[in-house]
Amino acid sequence: MAYYTAETAGDWDAYCELMSVPRRKLLMEVYDESDVPVPAEPTPEDCAKSMAKDRARPKGTGHTYQVVGEVSEVPESMDHPPGVGVWVMKEYTLDGERGRTLEAVLMVQDGDKWLVDNEADNPRADEPTTSRRLVAILS
């Protein structure tokens, strides 16, 4: 849950430390609107700088996070290594409205740490196959 807590708090150093190199690269490619090329293997520091300038947004209040269901083995697929998948229920209040999302999360082991490598809440048909596959494995 430290990953989500760091994101909610805008603690980009901690947030980026808790994700795999491919995840950092993907988020930087998606959210960094500068003209600076994204490094092939971005460090947590590269990621944190990018997130700090490009992810300022309302975060809501009263966030809670809970792992629901069983942990499942997830085999290697496309550009994601094997790992474990879990469902995380996120609840929050934003603009006075209570909200809830359920996300499938792929975690991969890196030494003695477990890092977030992929997240998917309700992938559309046009989203990457790995997101749909992760949801299917955990469902």
Side-chain angles (χ1 to χ4, degrees), residues 1 66-75 83-88 104-108 114 134 137-139:
M1 298 306 123
Q66 179 181 3
V67 173
V68 294
E70 299 295 319
V71 174
S72 300
E73 295 290 324
V74 178
V84 296
V86 296
W87 284 110
V88 175
V105 180
L106 171 63
M107 302 190 71
V108 297
W114 284 93
L134 177 60
I137 288 169
L138 295 179
S139 294

Side-chain angles (χ1 to χ4, degrees), residues 3 15-16 19-32 36-44 46-48 50-51 79-80 116-117:
Y3 173 80
Y15 180 66
C16 292
M19 66 178 77
S20 67
V21 171
R23 178 104 184 124
R24 287 194 295 261
K25 183 174 169 109
L26 173 68
L27 288 184
M28 289 177 68
E29 289 170 347
V30 170
Y31 292 108
D32 192 331
V36 177
V38 174
E41 293 195 12
T43 65
D46 295 331
C47 173
S50 177
M51 294 296 106
D79 54 350
H80 296 281
V116 173
D117 191 67

Side-chain angles (χ1 to χ4, degrees), residues 87 104 120-128 130-136:
W87 284 110
D121 51 8
N122 188 13
R124 301 178 317 266
D126 63 341
E127 285 193 80
T130 54
S131 295
R132 289 194 317 270
R133 185 168 183 262
L134 177 60
V135 168

